[in-house]
Amino acid sequence: MQLKDFSSHKSVAKLASLARTPHDLTAVDGLTAQRIEDYAVSFCGFDLLYGTQRVTPEVIDALQQLADEAGLIDAFLAMKEGEVLNRIEGYASENRQVLHTASRDVFTERPREPKAAAKAKEQLAKLHRFLEGVDNGSIANAQGHLFTTMVQVGIGGSDLGPRALYLALQRYCRPGRSARFIANVDPDDVAAVLRELDLSRCLFNVVSKSGTTLETLTNEQLVREALLQAGLNPAHHMVAVTGEGSPMDDATKYLASFHMYDYIGGRYSATSMVGLVTLGFALGVEAVRALLEGAHAVDLAAEERDIRKNVPLLMALLGIWNHNFLGHATIAILPYSQALARFPAHLQQCDMESNGKSVTRQGNPVTWQTGPIVWGEPGTNGQHAFYQLIHQGTEIVPAEFIGFRHNQYGIDLEVQGTSSQQKLITNMLAQSLALAMGKDDTNPARRFAGNRPNLVLIADRLTPSTMGALLAIYEHRIAFQGFCWNVNSFDQEGVQLGKVLATRLLGLLTDQGQSARDDSLEKSLLRRSGML
Ligand SMILES: O=P(O)(O)OC[C@H]1O[C@H](O)[C@H](O)[C@@H](O)[C@@H]1O
């Protein structure tokens, strides 16, 4: 699979010329009822409304041409079939397949990559056996009491996705079950979580793909120590998820060990054992199955070549239109669902670690913009915080609204004639319109320029299967953009340098600075910070 430079596609010149006069959403008839109908698509339980983007049929056609010229669907198919796409040609790189989709390709007789799908099934079967034991009490604490809480210890991809999914689906927890998360090497993160728990009823799930992450290994020791101090045997309270053959892959230290594989990137690992062990414990195996089914349905539907019918592909190209052609540097993910509170944080890693790159797959410097800055918080809270800048600031922030027609708990009340859910979703739709249309006013401080591109993704209810679909929509949006920019979206070299320097500084603390000259940069910094 040879991907070409973004700037080499004919459609790029066409789009650049179209971008000189983008659709004016503030004009008379700039945003009409017909436009809402015309720019809408239903996909795997979601409706995408994108009439509030600055596009015309001509722009969409040119974006389609870009998708075709850049071979985005072929690259996606090659990814799912196991081509080694995590590489930089001619340079040392991870040289791995990219097969997070195999972790949910477990429902058909003919998976796209049979070996990886078979391993996924093997791990799922192991998880089912383990959870059966936890349910029937054959796996219990020393007193024979059932476990009630699973604490996931991990960071980055071993925390953000699983935590976001757990919070999204907490409403479906099995009675008497819950999960907690410890990520930061800040000792207060561990202390604050542990002080709330009855350790004798807890299982600790230590998750690290590499098995070498400083934060996670340190926190594992803190947890072991806490268990010992409580008179408990760590080996009876700890499970592990790690890469096959990693330094953590030692079954004797854990009650159970699960594997993930080098072809699943940390930030794409939520539907592997990295996410499923804790989710399975808290929500049960049926919910896990529904989550995987939701994601798998999107994996299949995202093979569609027509961008008007393929939501992740369309979102990828609308993002490219806003970022590369209209020049908007960031995007805001704004879920109108409190359960999705940590979903923007997960997407932040998924997107920024994937597409925050400056060299092509051939190792050449890029001459076009790559990944945008991604951020966001749930609405309506955000409306009372940072929306001022989104409406009237000098930085235009394309917004992505995510909402659900029904709430999760079924508890709601009509106040002043409308339910809270109605208030929530009408606020979301109103924001979408306000950003697009703006408002003129004789008072300049009360003028809204409008033309702030945004889209709305709406589904019936946030369930395990909807969550799986939403996760996969974003994962593929990110991968399609990476293919289009011709970057390797699956490595993360950019996080190494800081780790190396931290190790050097820690070395100076342990030897009291003996290994460095007194006037060394590192020693001065430590001294001036009061650490040495
Ligand atoms: O799962 P682990 O190997 O412990 O890695 C945890 C995280 O650490 C790294 O710094 C990477 O940037 C992330 O992509 C990864 O998810």
Side-chain angles (χ1 to χ4, degrees):
M1 175 90 245
Q2 183 70 40
L3 289 158
K4 291 209 213 105
D5 280 354
F6 179 71
S7 54
S8 70
H9 305 303
K10 281 199 188 124
S11 48
V12 166
K14 189 187 267 182
L15 284 158
S17 124
L18 289 168
R20 277 186 224 121
T21 50
H23 179 73
D24 184 0
L25 293 160
T26 68
V28 182
D29 291 343
L31 184 55
T32 58
Q34 190 57 46
R35 186 174 167 89
I36 300 292
E37 291 299 326
D38 291 346
Y39 293 87
V41 47
S42 299
F43 181 88
C44 297
F46 280 88
D47 288 301
L48 172 70
L49 311 181
Y50 62 105
T52 44
Q53 293 278 324
R54 301 192 70 186
V55 292
T56 56
E58 223 184 337
V59 171
I60 299 293
D61 287 344
L63 291 173
Q64 175 75 63
Q65 192 188 332
L66 176 58
D68 297 338
E69 284 174 346
L72 301 188
I73 294 297
D74 293 328
F76 181 64
L77 292 172
M79 179 186 95
K80 295 210 299 181
E81 280 159 13
E83 195 170 315
V84 177
L85 286 177
N86 176 0
R87 66 190 280 254
I88 302 286
E89 291 155 34
Y91 292 89
S93 60
E94 290 188 328
N95 266 320
R96 291 173 182 165
Q97 298 166 293
V98 180
L99 283 170
H100 45 283
T101 47
S103 63
R104 52 252 189 171
D105 198 356
V106 293
F107 302 103
T108 61
E109 290 307 308
R110 288 218 201 140
R112 287 269 184 254
E113 213 285 349
K115 267 214 254 156
K119 286 193 171 185
K121 278 189 179 170
E122 212 176 272
Q123 291 300 307
L124 276 170
K126 193 173 179 186
L127 176 61
H128 286 193
R129 284 195 299 276
F130 173 74
L131 292 175
E132 240 169 52
V134 173
D135 288 352
N136 67 26
S138 61
I139 299 173
N141 75 5
Q143 282 75 43
H145 297 142
L146 295 181
F147 291 110
T148 57
T149 309
M150 184 170 273
V151 184
Q152 177 146 345
V153 182
I155 198 164
S158 297
D159 168 63
L160 288 161
R163 193 194 294 246
L165 296 191
Y166 173 71
L167 293 176
L169 301 174
Q170 207 173 1
R171 183 255 176 277
Y172 305 100
C173 270
R174 294 187 44 191
R177 294 273 175 91
S178 67
R180 298 280 191 287
F181 295 82
I182 294 173
N184 203 334
V185 76
D186 180 344
D188 289 346
D189 193 13
V190 187
V193 171
L194 295 191
R195 73 202 285 260
E196 284 184 350
L197 300 171
D198 172 358
L199 297 188
S200 73
R201 306 291 288 269
C202 289
L203 280 170
F204 290 88
N205 177 19
V206 186
V207 185
S208 174
K209 175 181 172 180
S210 61
T212 60
T213 302
L214 172 86
E215 290 88 337
T216 304
L217 297 184
T218 305
N219 284 335
E220 176 177 359
Q221 288 314 315
L222 263 59
V223 166
R224 283 182 183 274
E225 192 52 39
L227 287 167
L228 287 171
Q229 277 182 15
L232 300 163
N233 179 352
H236 296 163
H237 286 264
M238 301 190 77
V239 302
V241 180
T242 192
E244 215 173 14
S246 94
M248 253 177 66
D249 191 8
D250 176 358
T252 61
K253 284 168 62 188
Y254 304 98
L255 193 55
S257 292
F258 301 91
H259 285 144
M260 54 101 72
Y261 301 94
D262 71 357
Y263 47 71
I264 301 183
R267 54 194 173 274
Y268 296 96
S269 66
T271 54
S272 75
M273 287 302 121
V274 167
L276 299 187
V277 174
T278 297
L279 292 173
F281 174 86
L283 309 172
V285 292
E286 282 314 311
V288 162
R289 188 186 165 85
L291 176 84
L292 296 180
E293 275 171 346
H296 180 58
V298 168
D299 297 344
L300 294 179
E303 295 178 5
E304 166 65 54
R305 286 176 191 271
D306 183 344
I307 67 166
R308 289 176 168 87
K309 295 184 184 155
N310 180 339
V311 161
L313 183 61
L314 178 58
M315 285 174 67
L317 288 151
L318 291 172
I320 286 174
W321 169 247
N322 288 327
H323 190 51
N324 296 86
F325 298 100
L326 301 185
H328 307 320
T330 99
I331 59 167
I333 312 282
L334 306 169
Y336 276 63
S337 158
Q338 198 53 35
L340 288 181
R342 291 298 287 167
F343 191 54
H346 166 60
L347 293 182
Q348 201 167 49
Q349 183 200 15
C350 206
D351 203 327
M352 293 172 79
E353 208 172 63
S354 295
N355 290 336
K357 307 286 163 66
S358 300
V359 294
T360 66
R361 304 181 137 271
Q362 293 72 36
N364 302 314
V366 295
T367 52
W368 50 91
Q369 292 298 115
T370 62
I373 298 162
V374 179
W375 57 286
E377 283 286 326
T380 62
N381 300 16
Q383 289 175 207
H384 304 277
F386 54 81
Y387 277 38
Q388 165 64 41
L389 182 147
I390 299 189
H391 282 286
Q392 289 188 313
T394 50
E395 193 70 52
I396 294 184
V397 182
E400 303 194 346
F401 296 101
I402 305 171
F404 304 93
R405 295 175 196 106
H406 304 285
N407 63 341
Q408 285 185 318
Y409 287 88
I411 302 168
D412 201 347
L413 189 67
E414 280 198 6
V415 175
Q416 294 169 352
T418 56
S419 69
S420 293
Q421 189 66 23
Q422 288 172 324
K423 292 182 178 78
L424 179 69
I425 298 307
T426 48
N427 261 283
M428 176 180 85
L429 298 174
Q431 292 295 330
S432 165
L433 285 182
L435 287 167
M437 295 193 308
K439 177 179 106 30
D440 205 5
D441 200 295
T442 47
N443 177 345
R446 295 191 177 154
R447 204 171 288 153
F448 292 70
N451 272 327
R452 298 187 175 219
N454 67 83
L455 56 80
V456 171
L457 257 182
I458 187 161
D460 266 344
R461 182 177 274 117
L462 184 55
T463 62
S465 120
T466 332
M467 188 62 239
L470 185 64
L471 178 77
I473 286 174
Y474 273 96
E475 285 178 352
H476 302 334
R477 187 274 275 283
I478 293 163
F480 283 133
Q481 290 190 332
F483 295 142
C484 200
W485 289 320
N486 192 23
V487 295
N488 178 5
S489 301
F490 308 107
D491 64 3
Q492 55 285 317
E493 301 292 351
V495 302
Q496 296 311 323
L497 180 59
K499 286 188 194 173
V500 170
L501 291 180
T503 308
R504 199 181 296 167
L505 294 178
L506 279 174
L508 287 177
L509 287 189
T510 45
D511 73 4
Q512 287 299 308
Q514 285 168 33
S515 57
R517 284 173 41 170
D518 250 11
D519 60 353
S520 76
L521 169 66
E522 289 89 347
K523 227 169 143 174
S524 308
L525 182 62
L526 282 172
R527 222 183 295 110
R528 194 62 192 83
S529 312
M531 293 297 289
L532 194 66

